[in-house]
Amino acid sequence: MAKRWYVVHTYSGYENKVKTDLEHRIETYGLERAVVDIQIPTEEVTEVKDGGKRETKESKVFPGYVLVRMELDDNTWAVVRNTPGVTGFVGIDGKPVPLRRDEFDKIMRRGGMKTGSPVPKRTATNIEVGQAIHVLSGPLADFDGTVSEVNAESGKIKVMLTIFGRETPVELTMDQISLID
């Protein structure tokens, strides 16, 4: 049977604990051949602190989600599903749905970079709530969404993106988006 990537929903903030607990459970139940990889998608974020000091840290791209590559059967499903901190699999009608390869590559930022014409400089003043946008760069590149909030002072916008079948608010900068007509 093929090993596929599945998305597991966890309590937010428990992703690392779920990964550690799941690794121990896989070893305990002897499922090393059936469950072969566990990933928590992250990105490096640079924050400017008081005094202009820059601090780089790892930030979770999808808080509350862990990716698991496994052969799905009743046994592996039960071991993953009953891991403390796991609330369930992302799927349809309670049935886990595997990620397509392009979805996994996009989530893990392994897809090829697209090149195109330079995007004209935008300001928050010419973007309105409700406008449709396309994300150009970052870990959420190629997602489409709707503007839910505009912060002209910081030059950032909040966008609602559908990720794993749920509306998720994401903060983006002007150079990360293009408007959809």
Side-chain angles (χ1 to χ4, degrees):
M1 185 177 223
K3 293 168 183 66
R4 309 276 308 267
W5 285 101
Y6 294 88
V7 181
V8 177
H9 188 253
T10 69
Y11 295 124
S12 190
Y14 284 76
E15 301 86 359
N16 293 331
K17 177 141 179 52
V18 165
K19 180 179 179 181
T20 303
D21 289 349
L22 189 52
E23 288 168 344
H24 291 296
R25 288 174 59 85
I26 290 164
E27 188 177 333
T28 301
Y29 287 96
L31 295 173
E32 293 91 346
R33 289 186 174 177
V35 183
V36 295
D37 199 2
I38 303 165
Q39 295 288 325
I40 302 171
T42 59
E43 66 177 336
E44 283 195 8
V45 177
T46 303
E47 294 179 348
V48 179
K49 299 289 185 179
D50 291 337
K53 183 179 177 186
R54 293 179 180 264
E55 183 179 297
T56 302
K57 67 176 188 171
E58 286 251 319
S59 177
K60 291 175 182 64
V61 178
F62 301 113
Y65 294 96
V66 174
L67 305 179
V68 179
R69 185 170 181 228
M70 64 184 204
E71 290 179 15
L72 184 67
D73 60 26
D74 290 342
N75 197 22
T76 57
W77 179 88
V79 168
V80 174
R81 178 65 185 89
N82 294 318
T83 300
V86 171
T87 60
F89 282 87
V90 173
I92 300 170
D93 294 329
K95 295 181 182 175
V97 175
L99 290 174
R100 294 188 320 264
R101 182 45 125 179
D102 64 315
E103 291 173 320
F104 175 78
D105 289 344
K106 189 187 303 183
I107 289 168
M108 297 305 287
R109 294 176 282 153
R110 292 184 181 165
M113 295 297 292
K114 292 185 178 179
T115 58
S117 57
V119 179
K121 189 76 174 166
R122 285 178 296 282
T123 62
T125 56
N126 61 4
I127 295 180
E128 299 173 1
V129 172
Q131 279 187 297
I133 61 96
H134 179 76
V135 181
L136 299 172
S137 63
L140 302 172
D142 295 329
F143 279 89
D144 293 332
T146 307
V147 176
S148 63
E149 190 177 309
V150 179
N151 188 340
E153 295 83 41
S154 68
K156 294 184 178 182
I157 61 170
K158 272 201 181 155
V159 178
M160 296 302 286
L161 301 178
T162 302
I163 302 171
F164 305 134
R166 294 182 180 196
E167 287 283 304
T168 306
V170 177
E171 189 173 79
L172 301 170
T173 59
M174 296 299 127
D175 60 340
Q176 290 181 288
I177 65 159
S178 68
L179 298 174
I180 299 174
D181 295 328

